[in-house]
Amino acid sequence: MSVFPKDFLWGAATASYQVEGGHDADGKGLSNWDLFSHLPGTTYQGTNGDVAVDHYHRFREDVALMAELGMQTYRFSISWPRLLPQGRGEVNEAGIRFYSELIDELLKHNIKPMITLYHWDLPQALQEQFGGWESREIVDAFDEYARLCYQRFGDRVELWSTFNETIVFIGMGYMTGAHPPRLTDPKKGIQACHHVFLANARAVKSFREMGIDGQIGFVNVLQPNDPISDSPQDRRACEIAEGIFTHWLYDPVLKGEYPAELLAMAQQAFGVPYFVPGDEELLKQNIVDFIGLNYYKREMVAHNDDVDGYAINTSGQKGSGRELGFKGLFKLVRNPNGVYTDWDWEVYPQGLTDAIGRIVKRYGNIPLYITENGLGAKDPIVDGEVRDQPRIDYLRDHIQAIGAAIEQGADVRGYYPWSFIDLLSWLNGYQKQYGFVYVDHNDSLARKKKQSFGWYQRVIATNGEQL
Ligand code: BGP
C-alpha cells in the first residue's frame, strides 16, 4: 500500500517569467526582470524571458500535456505587471483574461490550480516610484494586487501562496546583487524583507476578509544546514546559518514574530528591521494556513574567520547558493563527501526528510506542500529521445524521502516537482533543464515528452507506489 494519502496531490510547478514570454503582449507592463535581463552581464549569455517557452500563447497545448501526464495540480505564478501594468490602478483586462482562461482550461482537465502571487517579477513602475520592496508603500500596493486576484480568480482557485522564496529575491536582490535591483546593502535588504512579511500578512488578512473558499500559504526554500565538523565553532556557525536561512523566514509567517536572538543581532548590527506601531499585531494575527517547501539541496556550514563580507561566494561559481555568509559568524562550504550536480548543488534526499522533521518540531504539524524539487541538468538526446534517467533517479529518491516524512507523521499534502516543462533558469539561461517536457529552441519551441514523462505518469497513476 502506498504511504501517500488517498487525496495526496501530484503536480508540477513553473513561474510566470520563466515560461510565459509575451513580455509586452496585450498591454503587459514592464517588470524588474524584463529590464534586468537586458542589462549587460546579468544573465548567462544575455538570455531573457522575452519569449521564454511562449506558454502565454501555447497554454492550451501545455495543459493538454499536463493532463496526459496525469497532473492533479499545477503551481504557477501570476505576473503582477500583466494585470496591473503600472503596479497599481488601471487593470489590464487582457492579462486577467489570460489567467482566467488558463484556470478554466486546468479545471476542465481536473487539474487544481495553485497560484503564487509573487514569483519575483515586480512591476518596474513600483521600483521606480518608491524603490519597490524597500518602501513600506509596497504593502498597500501588494494588497491591492492580491485583492484583485482573489476577486477575479477566487471563485475557482482554492490553493494560493503569497510569496516564493524570500531568501532568494531579497538575498540576491539586496545582499549579493545578482538579482534586481542589484544592491549590496544588508540594511535595505533586511528592511525590504520586513515589508515582504507585512505584505504577506496583509494579503492573508484580505483573503480571509473576502471570504475566499480556500487556503493561503507562503513558499520558502527548505535548506537544511549541517556543520562541517563537530567542533563547537562549526556547530555554533551552523546554528546561526540555520537561524538566518530558515527561522528568520519561517517564524514571521508561522509564529508572527522574528527569532529573538537574531532580531537583536540584526538590530544591533544594522538598526533594522524597523517596526512601526501595528506591525507586530499584523504579523501575529495573520498566520498562514500552510507552508510550501522548495527543496533542492543541503548546505554545509563552517565557522568563518577568514572570508570577508556577506556576499562571499565560497564556490566561485555564479548561482551556486554559497554566496551568503558573514565574517565572524559562518560560511557555506562544500561537503567533501557529497554528491554534487553539474551546478554544484549537493544531492541529498535524506535532507528532505530531516528538514521536514525540523519544521514539524519547531512549528507543529502544519499542512505542508513540497512546492519545488528537481534536478537541473543538461539532458542528452539519444536517437531523438531526451534521456533524463538522472532526473528520474533524483525524483524517485526524493519522493521516497517525502514518504519517510509522512510515515513519521508529517502532514505533507502534495508534491510539485520543478518543473513541468524546460524553462528559463533565472541566471543560467535555457541550458539548465528541469522539465518532464523538452522544448526545442531550434524548432519553433516544439514540445517533446522526455523519458521522465512516462515515469512520472506511472508514479501519479499508482499514487507513488511504482517509483
Ligand atoms: C528556485 C526558484 C525557481 C527555480 C529553481 C531552480 O529557487 O523558485 O524559480 O528557478 O529555484 O533554480 P535555478 O533555475 O537557478 O536552477
Side-chain angles (χ1 to χ4, degrees):
M1 231 197 42
S2 172
V3 298
F4 295 93
K6 264 204 312 291
D7 54 356
F8 189 83
L9 291 173
W10 297 93
T14 67
S16 50
Y17 185 69
Q18 297 177 277
V19 287
E20 285 179 5
H23 70 110
D24 61 354
D26 307 327
K28 177 181 166 291
L30 189 76
S31 79
N32 57 344
W33 272 90
D34 290 326
L35 189 91
F36 169 83
S37 62
H38 282 267
L39 301 174
T42 54
T43 65
Y44 174 75
Q45 295 184 346
T47 37
N48 59 60
D50 286 4
V51 179
V53 297
D54 203 24
H55 177 69
Y56 183 73
H57 297 107
R58 296 178 182 232
F59 72 92
R60 288 184 205 280
E61 179 188 349
D62 289 341
V63 174
L65 281 163
M66 292 177 201
E68 189 181 336
L69 186 55
M71 276 166 58
Q72 298 157 345
T73 181
Y74 172 48
R75 172 177 183 249
F76 63 95
S77 75
I78 292 184
S79 155
W80 181 350
R82 198 179 287 292
L83 299 195
L84 294 160
Q86 296 304 311
R88 307 188 73 161
E90 205 184 322
V91 176
N92 177 30
E93 289 299 332
I96 298 272
R97 201 173 317 121
F98 166 66
Y99 293 109
S100 205
E101 289 179 2
L102 171 62
I103 291 165
D104 289 342
E105 193 70 14
L106 290 166
L107 294 175
K108 198 171 95 188
H109 289 91
N110 277 320
I111 302 171
K112 213 184 231 297
M114 179 192 265
I115 287 181
T116 312
L117 290 173
Y118 190 80
H119 202 127
W120 311 350
D121 40 357
L122 179 76
Q124 180 60 22
L126 300 184
Q127 186 65 44
E128 281 161 24
Q129 270 167 39
F130 51 69
W133 293 106
E134 280 157 51
S135 160
R136 220 163 245 280
E137 284 186 53
I138 197 77
V139 179
D140 283 341
F142 185 75
D143 189 43
E144 189 179 315
Y145 159 62
R147 282 175 168 267
L148 173 69
C149 294
Y150 304 152
Q151 190 188 43
R152 301 300 188 93
F153 314 127
D155 55 338
R156 288 160 289 164
V157 178
E158 287 169 23
L159 289 174
W160 296 77
S161 53
T162 50
F163 287 91
N164 179 71
E165 298 189 348
T166 313
I167 187 73
V168 179
F169 74 92
I170 295 295
M172 295 178 86
Y174 289 89
M175 304 285 223
T176 72
H179 279 198
R182 302 181 87 181
L183 297 179
T184 46
D185 184 338
K187 183 172 174 155
K188 278 189 178 165
I190 294 167
Q191 190 59 26
C193 191
H194 185 59
H195 298 148
V196 173
F197 298 139
L198 297 176
N200 168 70
R202 278 282 294 282
V204 169
K205 185 164 186 266
S206 294
F207 188 82
R208 293 181 181 144
E209 275 170 9
M210 287 172 67
I212 305 300
D213 188 10
Q215 290 89 47
I216 188 148
F218 194 99
V219 173
N220 264 327
V221 175
L222 182 66
Q223 177 189 279
N225 294 121
D226 288 316
I228 195 75
S229 85
D230 238 2
S231 76
Q233 291 93 324
D234 287 342
R235 278 192 281 136
R236 173 70 182 145
C238 185
E239 216 174 271
I240 294 170
E242 190 170 25
I244 293 174
F245 290 112
T246 305
H247 306 158
W248 189 272
L249 286 314
Y250 287 68
D251 283 16
V253 301
L254 289 171
K255 296 170 139 192
E257 63 189 25
Y258 285 89
E261 188 198 7
L262 283 179
L263 180 64
M265 281 166 82
Q267 287 180 327
Q268 200 195 8
F270 303 110
V272 283
Y274 174 72
F275 283 68
V276 304
D279 283 4
E280 285 181 33
E281 292 71 27
L282 184 67
L283 295 180
K284 272 270 178 228
Q285 288 162 9
N286 297 286
I287 302 298
V288 291
D289 297 321
F290 69 86
I291 198 97
L293 306 172
N294 292 353
Y295 181 81
Y296 291 89
K297 59 182 163 77
R298 156 175 81 166
E299 289 292 355
M300 306 296 280
V301 183
H303 179 64
N304 177 17
D305 255 343
D306 49 341
V307 198
D308 219 349
Y310 45 84
I312 57 179
N313 197 0
T314 56
S315 143
Q317 199 178 344
K318 206 170 166 179
S320 74
R322 286 200 288 284
E323 287 89 348
L324 279 177
F326 284 91
K327 182 146 186 194
L329 296 177
F330 75 91
K331 62 185 173 188
L332 301 178
V333 292
R334 212 165 195 278
N335 173 9
N337 306 312
V339 176
Y340 281 81
T341 72
D342 291 346
W343 271 269
D344 214 13
W345 290 15
E346 188 182 2
V347 179
Y348 187 60
Q350 178 64 39
L352 179 51
T353 316
D354 295 348
I356 292 174
R358 292 178 197 177
I359 295 291
V360 172
K361 188 164 169 220
R362 189 171 175 96
Y363 304 107
N365 210 0
I366 40 154
L368 305 172
Y369 290 87
I370 307 303
T371 35
E372 285 182 33
N373 172 233
L375 174 70
K378 282 186 195 164
D379 301 329
I381 301 184
V382 184
D383 300 331
E385 295 294 319
V386 184
R387 298 279 172 83
D388 59 344
Q389 186 62 43
R391 175 162 305 106
I392 296 176
D393 296 341
Y394 179 99
L395 295 175
R396 175 194 299 119
D397 293 349
H398 286 80
I399 292 173
Q400 274 165 353
I402 297 167
I406 292 176
E407 281 179 323
Q408 289 166 20
D411 183 10
V412 188
R413 300 186 175 185
Y415 180 57
Y416 299 80
W418 185 266
S419 51
F420 162 64
I421 193 167
D422 284 348
L423 40 67
L424 175 71
S425 167
W426 301 92
L427 300 178
N428 306 287
Y430 295 93
Q431 41 143 16
K432 193 178 184 187
Q433 298 161 265
Y434 279 96
F436 297 111
V437 176
Y438 168 77
V439 176
D440 192 341
H441 288 264
N442 297 317
D443 178 16
S444 49
L445 305 179
R447 272 62 170 152
K448 191 172 167 57
K449 291 173 247 171
K450 300 186 191 175
Q451 188 187 356
S452 59
F453 189 99
W455 170 80
Y456 192 48
Q457 210 172 28
R458 219 172 33 252
V459 173
I460 299 177
T462 60
N463 196 26
E465 256 187 273
Q466 268 186 45
L467 293 171

